[in-house]
Amino acid sequence: MAAFHEILFPLEVALGASGGPERVTEVVTTASGREERNTRQADSRRRWDAGYGVKTFAALAEIVAFFEERRGRLHGFRWRDRLDHSSAAPEDEVSALDQLIGAGDGARATFALTKRYGALHAPYLRAITKPVAGSVKVAVNGIEHVEGAHFSLDTARGEITFAEGAIPAPSAVVTAGFRFDVPVRFDTDFLEVDLSAFAAGAIPRIPIIEIRV
């Protein structure tokens, strides 16, 4: 049975990968020349080619072992996106005020982590399901709370749960900051490696695709 393995893809290789977000947009041009545009998916889906990060035979062997343990496309795993792995702006430190994740009502204890992209026109709210343990900071009305004392974190689901006695009051602003990984799987069951070509500088293709968990 397919499962998700809470293990990080070899970081040195991932940080050298090529890829990014993909969207599916249908474009129809009418007889008048106007366009009708529609999307079938509310969320983007990220793809990478990890082959660009493989520079040595040792790294290649590590990826082969990782691929075999995941049984190719069968099991998911964590991936660190070099471009986008923090709630904060690039080069900034994570802050408990980075992202608005909800408002209290006096009873709600669990809040899902999200990251907002854009501002005025059509901001996109992305669900963050794989936060990095130890990186999550939470504040209520600007006052930072302490993990373990005021809230607990589910690193497999991307949810924080406030302890009894620390549940946000009605209209209280709940914010969070965090680092995160992306849930992914291999997008192939055949890892083709030509060692003679690799020795000559050719890059093996190792496709990775984001999944929903």
Side-chain angles (χ1 to χ4, degrees):
M1 182 178 178
F4 188 88
H5 295 174
E6 293 288 346
I7 184 172
L8 186 64
F9 185 89
L11 189 57
E12 184 176 349
V13 175
L15 295 183
S18 171
E22 175 187 45
R23 288 192 172 272
V24 179
T25 306
E26 295 177 337
V27 181
V28 176
T29 304
T30 66
S32 66
R34 293 181 179 275
E35 286 186 348
E36 296 290 342
R37 296 181 296 277
N38 188 40
T39 181
R40 292 177 294 167
Q41 299 177 355
D43 299 306
S44 57
R45 192 177 194 185
R46 285 156 175 77
R47 296 176 181 270
W48 295 272
D49 187 344
Y52 289 91
V54 178
K55 306 299 183 185
T56 66
F57 281 108
L60 187 56
E62 184 179 13
I63 297 305
V64 170
F66 192 92
F67 176 87
E68 290 284 37
E69 189 173 7
R70 307 288 87 73
R71 309 296 195 272
R73 294 185 296 176
L74 185 60
H75 301 304
F77 52 91
R78 285 175 174 253
W79 171 272
R80 185 69 50 82
D81 184 353
R82 183 179 184 181
L83 174 65
D84 187 4
H85 61 268
S86 172
S87 61
E91 310 303 328
D92 287 352
E93 294 294 326
V94 168
S95 161
L97 304 178
D98 286 343
Q99 301 289 326
L100 173 65
I101 63 171
D105 62 8
R108 180 184 175 190
T110 299
F111 293 76
L113 297 178
T114 56
K115 181 175 179 180
R116 181 187 177 101
Y117 296 79
L120 297 177
H121 299 288
Y124 170 58
L125 205 61
R126 178 186 180 188
I128 302 300
T129 59
K130 299 296 177 183
V132 176
S135 74
V136 177
K137 298 181 179 182
V138 174
V140 178
N141 284 339
I143 300 174
E144 188 165 348
H145 283 39
V146 178
E147 183 176 358
H150 300 118
F151 71 92
S152 60
L153 170 68
D154 186 339
T155 57
R157 296 174 59 88
E159 295 177 340
I160 62 167
T161 300
F162 286 95
E164 188 176 352
I167 294 175
S171 301
V173 176
V174 183
T175 56
F178 42 82
R179 289 185 291 111
F180 62 94
D181 298 320
V182 184
V184 300
R185 62 167 170 80
F186 286 102
D187 197 21
T188 182
D189 280 323
F190 175 40
L191 202 58
E192 184 175 8
V193 178
D194 182 343
L195 289 180
S196 61
F198 181 73
I203 298 171
R205 184 172 179 273
I206 308 172
I208 305 290
I209 188 167
E210 184 178 6
I211 59 176
R212 302 283 176 247
V213 293

